[in-house]
Amino acid sequence: MERLLNFGNALPGVLSLGLIWGIMAIGLFITYKILELSDLTVDGSFCTGGAVCIVMMAMGQPTWLAMVCAFLAGMLTGAVTGFLHTTCKIPAILAGILTQLGLWTINMIIMGIEKGELVSTLTIPARNSKPLVSAMFLKTALNGTKPVYMYPPFVLVVITACIIGLLYWFFGTERGASIRATGANEHMARAQGINTNANKMLGLMLANGLVALSGSLFAQYNGNSEINMGRGAIVIGLAAIIIGDVLFGKLFKNFALKLLAVSFGAIVYYLVIQAVLTLLQVDSQYLKLMSAAIVAIFLTVPNLGGHSFKKHKKEAPVCSK
Amino acid sequence: MLEIIDIHKTFNAGTINEKRALQGVSLHLKPGDFVTVIGGNGAGKSTLMNSVSGAYPVDEGKILIDGVDVTHLPEHKRAQYIGRVFQDPMMGTAATMQIEENLALAARRGKIRTLRTGITKKERALYKEQLATLGLGLEDRMTAKVGLLSGGQRQALTLLMATLQKPKLLLLDEHTAALDPKTAAKVLETTQRIVERDNLTTLMITHNMRDAITYGNRLIMMYDGRIVVDVSGEEKKKLTVEQLLSLFSKASGSDEVNDKLLLS
Ligand SMILES: Nc1ncnc2c1ncn2[C@@H]1O[C@H](COP(=O)(O)OP(=O)(O)O)[C@@H](O)[C@H]1O
Ligand SMILES: [Mg+2]
C-alpha cells in the first residue's frame, strides 16, 4: 500500500521526466526514422544542452536565452557529426561516436567556463535560479497553492506541443519534404536535384538542437548539469520511439501523431521504470541493463518473422506525412 | 544539346579488379535527338549514362549540356538539366512517400527548396491531369504511398517525374527491363509519346534490339567501353536485326561476342 502511495506521489515527476526525454526522442526520431541515420551524438549533445543552459543561468542570463543557446549549441554538435559524415565520408555511427567522445571534454570546458578549469557538475546558484521546470517545485508545490501553468508537466506539454507543431509544419515545406525524400531514397533525391549531404547535415543539426533543448530542460529540472547526464540517452530515445510505435503505430498514421506517439513512448518508458523501482523495489543500478535489454528485445521482435509476437513488419523510414 | 568529349572511366584503377569501363567515348546529340543505345553486358552503357548524370566523376574528358560544362558539377546540380529513369523501379521514386509528394519533389528539380508549402492545391490539380494521361488510374490514388504501386506503375510515374519539368536531356537506362512484356510495351509507348510531345533530347539504353531499331532517330552500339556502331536517319530506319548483328561482329572483330549481344 505504501509502495502504491509512493508510486502515486512520483507520477507528476515521472510525467515531467517522460516529457523531457520525449523531446530528446523526437530529435532522435528525425535522424533515426526520417533520415535513417544512426546518430550517436545525442549522448553528448544532451549534456551540451544542459551544460550551456546551466552555465548561462549561473551567470545570471535569462532562462529563455540560456535555452536558445543550448539549442544552438546542440545544432553545432550535429553540424560536427554532419561534417564528419558527409564531407569526411566517415560512417554515420562512427562520426557520432567521435563527436560524442569529443563532447565529453567540451562539456566539462563549458561547465567550467567561469572557473577556467574542467568541471563535471555544475549547480545553479540559488540567487540565479529561475528554472522553467524543476523537481523542487513539484516537491514544494504539492500542497497545491501554485497556479496550474507553473507546474512542470503543464509547461512541458506546452513545449512539446509547440515542437510537434513546428516540426509538422517544417516537414511539410519544400525543404522539409526534401529531407524526407533524402531518407526515403537517396538516389531518387539526387536525381531530383536534392543536395542529400546538405539535408543530412540539416537533419542532424535540427535533431541535436532538440536533444540539447531537452538536455537544458533536464538540467533545469534537476537544478544542475552533470557530465554523465546524457549517458544512455540514445537507448532511452530508441525505447521511446519503439514503444510509441508498438503502442500507437496502428492508430497514429499522421506525421504529427507519430511524433506525439514518440512523446507518449517516453512517458510510458518512465512509468514502467518508476513502477519497477517503487512497486518492485528494484535497485536503480539495474536500470541500465534493463533498459538495454528492453530495447534489444523490441528491436529483435520485428525481425523474427512475427510468429511469436504480433506481426510487426520492419518498418520503412517515416517519410510521409 | 549534349556533348560528350572523349571521356574515360576506370573502376578500381591499379588493383586486380581494374575495369576500364569507358575508353574514350565521344558523342554529340542535337536538340530533339532520340538515341537508342545497345551493347552486351558490361559494355559500359550504364557507366556512360552515370557519367553524364554525375553519379560518379569521369577520369578524363568533358561533358557539356546545352553548352554548359557540367563535368565537375555534382549529381544534384546536374539534375536541373536531366530527367532520369532507372532500370530498377525502386530507384526512381520514394516508396514511403505519396504519389503527389513524389511529383511535387520532381516539380522542384533544380529549384531552391524553400520553406513554402511542399505541395500546393494548384499543383495537385495539375498532377491529377498529368497522371490521367498515363492511363493507369493513378489520378485517383494521389495520396497513396508509391510503395503500393506495381513496377510498371512506378516506372510510368518516374517517367512522369523526369519530364514534369522539361529536362534538357532525358536519360533512360533499360527502364523497361524489369517489367513484363506487356507492361514494358506500355511504358515504352508512354515514353515515345512524351518524348515526341516535348521534343526531348533522349538517350535510351535498351536490351531489346527491335526496340532500339523502332524507336528514336539514331542508334549507337557500345562494345568494351567504346561506341562501335553509330547509325542514324534513313539508314537507321531501314536497319534490321540481322544487319545490326553483322555490324556488331564487324566492329568487335569476332563472332563469339555476337552471341553475347544476342543473349544479353
Ligand atoms: N561501380 C562500379 N564499380 C566497379 N566496377 C563497375 C562499377 N560499375 C560498373 N562497373 C564495371 O564496368 C563495366 C561496365 O559496366 P556497365 O556500364 O554497368 O555495363 P552495361 O553496358 O551492362 O550497362 C562492367 O565490367 C562493370 O562490372
Ligand atoms: Mg547497365
Side-chain angles (χ1 to χ4, degrees):
Chain A
M1 196 55 220
E2 193 201 324
R3 286 183 194 178
L4 213 57
L5 208 66
N6 282 340
F7 183 66
N9 283 340
L11 279 183
V14 168
L15 191 58
S16 302
L17 281 172
L19 284 160
I20 290 173
W21 285 102
I23 293 170
M24 194 269 314
I26 287 173
L28 199 63
F29 184 89
I30 294 174
T31 41
Y32 185 70
K33 279 289 193 174
I34 298 181
L35 276 173
E36 286 228 306
L37 286 175
S38 299
D39 175 29
L40 297 184
T41 316
V42 293
D43 281 23
S45 56
F46 186 78
C47 177
T48 304
V52 168
C53 179
I54 298 301
V55 158
M56 289 191 61
M57 287 174 75
M59 294 194 298
Q61 299 293 334
T63 308
W64 67 268
L65 185 62
M67 288 171 66
V68 169
C69 289
F71 181 78
L72 294 177
M75 288 185 87
L76 204 61
T77 67
V80 172
T81 301
F83 174 78
L84 291 175
H85 177 51
T86 60
T87 308
C88 308
K89 310 273 179 239
I90 298 172
I93 292 192
L94 190 52
I97 291 176
L98 291 176
T99 310
Q100 186 200 114
L101 190 65
L103 283 175
W104 177 268
T105 310
I106 302 277
N107 290 339
M108 289 212 267
I109 294 176
I110 294 173
M111 286 191 273
I113 217 156
E114 269 188 313
K115 282 192 187 156
E117 60 191 51
L118 298 186
V119 167
S120 60
T121 310
L122 189 67
T123 308
I124 321 175
R127 67 191 142 83
N128 288 337
S129 181
K130 292 187 278 307
L132 201 57
V133 289
S134 132
M136 280 310 289
F137 177 93
L138 273 183
K139 288 208 183 83
T140 53
L142 273 181
N143 359 0
T145 46
K146 305 278 184 174
V148 64
Y149 60 82
M150 285 179 73
Y151 281 82
F154 180 83
V155 174
L156 291 164
V157 163
V158 172
I159 294 176
T160 302
C162 288
I163 289 171
I164 290 178
L166 278 171
L167 289 178
Y168 181 75
W169 162 77
F170 176 69
F171 282 103
T173 65
E174 294 177 322
R175 171 60 67 158
S178 80
I179 292 181
R180 287 186 288 134
T182 300
N185 183 348
E186 264 191 78
H187 281 288
M188 174 270 194
R190 278 197 295 269
Q192 301 305 340
I194 292 168
N195 187 342
T196 49
N197 278 343
N199 275 353
K200 285 183 194 173
M201 184 80 145
L202 193 59
L204 282 164
M205 289 172 71
L206 185 57
N208 282 290
L210 287 173
V211 171
L213 185 69
S214 162
S216 78
L217 288 165
F218 185 75
Q220 289 179 53
Y221 185 80
N222 290 331
N224 64 16
S225 67
E226 198 267 317
I227 191 67
N228 281 315
M229 64 187 264
R231 179 173 280 181
I234 185 123
V235 177
I236 299 175
L238 286 181
I241 291 172
I242 296 163
I243 293 171
D245 189 41
V246 168
L247 295 183
F248 307 102
K250 290 253 153 49
L251 223 65
F252 291 0
K253 295 291 181 207
N254 174 286
F255 184 72
L257 291 179
K258 282 190 170 160
L259 294 179
L260 192 61
V262 174
S263 188
F264 284 169
I267 294 169
V268 171
Y269 174 84
Y270 262 87
L271 272 176
V272 173
I273 296 285
Q274 191 62 39
V276 170
L277 285 181
T278 53
L279 297 182
L280 306 179
Q281 300 210 306
V282 171
D283 189 327
S284 67
Q285 301 298 337
Y286 287 99
L287 274 188
K288 292 230 147 96
L289 178 61
M290 266 176 35
S291 307
I294 290 172
V295 171
I297 290 168
F298 274 111
L299 283 174
T300 310
V301 168
N303 300 331
L304 289 180
H307 43 263
S308 58
F309 196 74
K310 244 195 298 174
K311 217 173 205 156
H312 189 78
K313 276 209 205 108
K314 179 164 169 35
E315 236 193 286
V318 178
C319 298
S320 140
K321 287 197 63 173
Chain B
M1 188 56 77
L2 171 67
E3 270 175 278
I4 299 174
I5 305 164
D6 194 31
I7 59 170
H8 292 253
K9 176 74 191 176
T10 304
F11 290 109
N12 308 315
T15 71
I16 43 165
N17 291 322
E18 180 169 293
K19 176 68 206 174
R20 301 174 66 178
L22 294 178
Q23 315 192 44
V25 173
S26 294
L27 184 66
H28 186 116
L29 264 62
K30 292 196 287 291
D33 268 352
F34 183 172
V35 179
T36 55
V37 186
I38 55 170
N41 266 335
K45 306 180 296 293
S46 295
T47 307
L48 175 65
M49 220 164 246
N50 291 332
S51 301
V52 173
S53 71
Y56 31 68
V58 292
D59 303 331
E60 265 178 67
K62 258 187 167 183
I63 298 165
L64 289 88
I65 298 175
D66 200 15
V68 181
D69 186 345
V70 300
T71 317
H72 301 292
L73 278 190
E75 191 178 3
H76 71 267
K77 288 218 173 113
R78 288 190 211 189
Q80 63 184 296
Y81 308 116
I82 302 173
R84 274 196 281 169
V85 185
F86 309 91
Q87 176 172 350
D88 181 356
M90 301 299 146
M91 222 144 118
T93 46
T96 48
M97 296 176 78
Q98 300 167 353
I99 293 178
E100 60 177 30
E101 286 181 323
N102 272 271
L103 285 163
L105 286 164
R108 287 162 179 75
R109 181 159 44 78
K111 295 188 180 143
I112 292 170
R113 312 215 177 222
T114 66
L115 292 181
R116 278 196 288 267
T117 178
I119 179 166
T120 62
K121 275 211 185 76
K122 226 167 89 193
E123 281 179 78
R124 280 203 181 94
L126 176 79
Y127 299 157
K128 208 173 170 72
E129 239 170 72
Q130 298 266 348
L131 283 168
T133 65
L134 295 178
L136 298 169
L138 295 181
E139 64 275 15
D140 301 321
R141 302 172 61 190
M142 302 244 303
T143 55
K145 302 270 166 71
V146 170
L148 299 171
L149 305 187
S150 70
Q153 288 172 325
R154 283 180 82 157
Q155 287 304 69
L157 178 63
T158 310
L159 192 63
L160 185 57
M161 287 165 62
T163 54
L164 202 54
Q165 244 208 84
K166 190 180 167 187
K168 289 187 188 298
L169 185 64
L170 178 62
L171 300 179
L172 310 168
D173 187 351
E174 301 202 38
H175 68 306
T176 59
L179 310 176
D180 65 82
K182 221 176 115 200
T183 316
K186 190 155 187 198
V187 170
L188 217 49
E189 228 169 77
T190 309
T191 307
Q192 169 85 340
R193 186 172 51 74
I194 293 176
V195 168
E196 261 175 14
R197 184 193 65 193
D198 294 343
N199 194 29
L200 297 174
T201 311
T202 305
L203 207 53
M204 177 173 94
I205 300 177
T206 172
H207 58 289
N208 184 318
M209 286 204 254
R210 200 151 280 118
D211 287 344
I213 295 170
T214 313
Y215 294 96
N217 62 339
R218 182 175 170 192
L219 179 153
I220 62 175
M221 183 189 287
M222 290 189 70
Y223 174 74
D224 200 19
R226 293 186 181 87
I227 295 175
V228 290
V229 172
D230 186 342
V231 289
S232 51
E234 284 305 308
E235 194 189 346
K236 173 175 179 280
K237 277 188 195 149
K238 285 188 248 144
L239 212 58
T240 63
V241 172
E242 288 71 32
Q243 278 173 314
L244 210 50
L245 283 172
S246 73
L247 272 175
F248 184 76
S249 34
K250 223 183 339 182
S252 59
S254 130
D255 272 345
E256 150 231 18
V257 282
N258 208 325
D259 306 328
K260 200 170 151 193
L261 184 71
L262 260 183
L263 286 173
S264 70

